Amino acid sequence: MISSDRLLDLIQATPEIDLLLRSSFGFDIHRKHYGDGLRLASGAPLEVIAGESAGGAYFLCSEQNGRRPVVFASSEGEGGLLADDLADALEIIIGLEWRDCLSFSGGGDVEVMQISAQHLERSRDKYNPDIDNEAARVATALSLRIVPVTDLVIRLQAAASKTEPDYVVTDDDGQAFDPPFGVHVEPRHGGWR
């Protein structure tokens, strides 16, 4: 297992991979300004490691059993556990439209998430026909696996389901972020097209 620090160093040292993660997958290690004052409900600190263009941020939690879990907090006040370590998180990030999969999860129903993931994958391929090649380049450079979407959905649902009680994100005032699962099963206007 490759450590979080080593993965972040590899991204920093490989401009092409850094650019692909930023432009195609919304993981920007240079965007660390969001997240000041955020912590876990337990009071445990969060270390911001990357941001994304909509104002959300990725955080490493304190080490547990040799791994540092990854939490995501959106600028809209949703947050929770993404994966048990950075390698798992990056496999989800490059292989799945994970935020929309959570948004259209029917409250965390894995079957609904599987259907959403299929629609989202078609849309992603339509708007970026080279996305699979880009994911493969990132995976090779960072020694990650290309995991089937169905398996990524299961991993994402399992991780997000563990958000409460240990990975609830709070702001400086102690206000808890909303859980990561959305209640809708598809977009409200027009459904899946």
Side-chain angles (χ1 to χ4, degrees):
M1 173 178 65
I2 190 165
S3 75
S4 299
D5 289 339
R6 177 74 179 126
L7 278 170
L8 293 169
D9 288 346
L10 278 171
I11 295 166
Q12 181 77 36
T14 316
E16 177 192 1
I17 300 306
D18 179 13
L19 178 61
L20 281 175
L21 282 168
R22 184 176 5 157
S23 61
S24 294
F25 303 106
F27 186 87
D28 185 350
I29 62 170
H30 306 285
R31 190 183 288 261
K32 297 181 187 177
H33 55 273
Y34 179 68
D36 289 341
L38 298 184
R39 63 184 138 313
L40 295 178
S42 66
L46 292 170
E47 176 189 346
V48 65
I49 55 169
E52 48 95 39
S53 61
Y58 297 89
F59 300 89
L60 286 176
C61 301
S62 299
E63 187 174 318
Q64 298 174 7
N65 302 321
R67 301 173 94 179
R68 293 192 68 191
V70 176
V71 167
F72 179 81
S74 76
S75 59
E76 293 86 32
E78 300 158 340
L81 185 64
L82 176 58
D84 290 331
D85 63 31
L86 184 55
D88 285 352
L90 287 168
E91 287 173 358
I92 289 170
I93 289 165
I94 67 171
L96 180 66
E97 290 292 320
W98 68 272
R99 287 201 56 202
D100 287 335
C101 191
L102 286 173
S103 294
F104 303 113
S105 69
D109 183 314
V110 74
E111 290 179 20
V112 171
M113 291 175 71
Q114 292 288 3
I115 293 166
S116 295
Q118 291 170 12
H119 290 287
L120 292 162
E121 186 176 26
R122 281 195 295 275
S123 177
R124 180 172 92 154
D125 291 346
K126 177 181 171 186
Y127 290 105
N128 184 352
D130 202 34
I131 195 79
D132 291 335
N133 290 331
E134 292 173 349
R137 290 200 322 254
V138 171
T140 299
L142 301 180
S143 300
L144 302 173
R145 298 167 293 164
I146 295 294
V147 179
V149 169
T150 54
D151 294 346
L152 291 174
V153 169
I154 291 167
R155 285 171 42 184
L156 176 62
Q157 194 272 347
S161 293
K162 295 188 297 187
T163 293
E164 292 186 42
D166 297 327
Y167 299 100
V168 174
V169 178
T170 61
D171 63 17
D172 339 1
D173 300 324
Q175 184 74 8
F177 276 43
D178 291 333
F181 294 118
V183 296
H184 301 289
V185 296
E186 63 183 31
R188 287 183 275 183
H189 302 289
W192 295 116
R193 295 176 191 225

